[in-house]
Amino acid sequence: MSQGAERSKKLRIVLLESPLELVPPEIRRHPQVKRYTERFGIEPGETLLDKTYHYYAMEPLPEKWKRGRPDIVHFSILLLQDSLLNQKGFLETYIHVYDGRVFYIKPETRLPKHYDRFKGLMAQLLIYERLPPSGDTVLVEKVADSLEEFVEQMGGLILLWEKGKPRTAKTIVREAMELKWPIGVGMFPRGDFRAETIRLARKRYSLRGVSGSLKAWSVLHYLLCSAEQLLGILP
C-alpha cells in the first residue's frame, strides 16, 4: 500500500483515563505531600499526583488504584511521538486526563524523557490547558472538556477492552483509519474503564490471541506496527 495513496489516512490514538491530575485539595495538607512540595519548592496545587511520593496520602481517595501513575502516560507518549508512524505524519495523539478533559499533542512535540521534567510540564498543562503556557507556538492544547464532547467531534470511538470482541491489531487499525475514529487505550494500572467510557465507545474490541492483560505500551506497540505495515512504512 503506497504512502501517496494513503496520505489522508491516519491512526488516531487517545490515551484514556490517563492518571494525570494535580494533587486533590483534600490531601494537600498531608505530611507526605507537604514534604514533597517543600523539597521541590512548589505549591501542592501545582503538583502532579504521583503514587511513588504520595502513596499514604492517597489512601482516602476514591479509585486510588487508578490514580497517581504519570509514568504510564510518560512512557506511552514517548513511544507514540518517537514512532516512525508519527515522524511520517500518520499519527494523531490525544490524552484524556482524569478529570475528563482531552488534549491534543501535535506531531512535532517532543516531551522530556526526564520524568520529573515531564511531570512539571503536565502540571502546567492541567493548569493552563496548553503548552507552552503562553506565546504563539502551541505544542499541546485542550480540544474538549469531556470525553463525550471529544467523541462527538471525532464521530466515534473504538475501545480496546479486555471484554470486547476479539480482533487482530491489524483489523482494528484498518477499521479505525477507514472510519477516522480514534482507538482508545486505557492508561490506568489496574481495574476497569468507567461505565461512561464504555458507553461512549461505538465499537469495543480486544486483541485476538492475547490472554490476560497487556501493559499499555505493549498494546500501543502492536497498533503502531500494524499501522506502519498497512501504510507501507514497514515491509
Side-chain angles (χ1 to χ4, degrees):
M1 190 177 292
S2 68
Q3 290 186 28
E6 296 296 327
R7 177 58 64 179
S8 63
K9 288 192 175 181
K10 288 187 178 182
L11 177 64
R12 294 170 172 86
I13 298 287
V14 55
L15 307 181
L16 288 173
E17 299 186 22
S18 296
L20 295 179
E21 61 178 307
L22 301 173
V23 172
E26 59 265 37
I27 65 168
R28 288 177 187 172
R29 294 182 179 273
H30 191 281
Q32 205 172 39
V33 173
K34 292 175 70 175
R35 284 196 300 270
Y36 179 82
T37 54
E38 289 170 0
R39 173 185 170 188
F40 290 97
I42 49 181
E43 294 296 322
E46 299 175 357
T47 305
L48 213 63
L49 186 67
D50 188 337
K51 191 174 185 177
T52 300
Y53 301 100
H54 308 137
Y55 181 84
Y56 295 107
M58 289 176 60
E59 183 62 31
L61 296 179
E63 294 187 319
K64 62 180 180 180
W65 57 88
K66 298 178 70 172
R67 303 166 73 173
R69 290 294 305 275
D71 56 299
I72 298 175
V73 187
H74 184 216
F75 196 94
S76 297
I77 291 175
L78 291 180
L79 175 66
L80 291 168
Q81 293 300 103
D82 289 345
S83 69
L84 189 59
L85 192 71
N86 186 57
Q87 293 174 32
K88 296 291 185 180
F90 289 107
L91 179 67
E92 288 183 8
T93 301
Y94 300 87
I95 317 173
H96 168 237
V97 301
Y98 187 77
D99 67 11
R101 290 176 291 173
V102 182
F103 297 88
Y104 171 56
I105 307 177
K106 293 190 175 180
E108 65 270 24
T109 303
R110 295 294 177 266
L111 292 172
K113 293 179 173 60
H114 190 282
Y115 183 47
D116 285 333
R117 287 189 59 211
F118 169 79
K119 289 197 299 180
L121 283 178
M122 290 300 99
Q124 284 187 356
L125 178 63
L126 295 176
I127 294 168
Y128 298 103
E129 299 189 328
R130 54 164 282 172
L131 289 177
S134 60
D136 296 332
T137 301
V138 182
L139 298 176
V140 187
E141 61 183 341
K142 187 184 75 170
V143 293
D145 286 312
S146 67
L147 183 61
E148 183 173 15
E149 180 184 345
F150 173 72
V151 173
E152 288 177 358
Q153 292 173 5
M154 295 289 106
L157 171 69
I158 295 175
L159 180 66
L160 279 186
W161 186 37
E162 290 180 18
K163 301 173 186 176
K165 296 179 180 178
R167 296 286 188 276
T168 65
K170 190 171 288 187
T171 299
I172 296 169
V173 167
R174 181 185 291 112
E175 182 174 2
M177 290 194 296
E178 289 175 352
L179 293 171
K180 299 183 179 180
W181 291 359
I183 299 175
V185 178
M187 290 289 106
F188 42 88
R190 63 188 181 93
D192 203 349
F193 289 103
R194 296 169 181 163
E196 176 73 0
T197 301
I198 298 170
R199 182 187 67 79
L200 288 171
R202 297 277 294 276
K203 296 178 182 289
R204 308 175 191 95
Y205 296 136
S206 61
L207 289 176
R208 176 175 290 166
V210 174
S211 59
S213 60
L214 291 174
K215 301 295 186 185
W217 46 83
S218 297
V219 174
L220 294 171
H221 171 73
Y222 283 128
L223 297 178
L224 289 170
C225 290
S226 296
E228 289 166 356
Q229 290 175 347
L230 285 168
L231 293 168
I233 297 172
L234 287 180

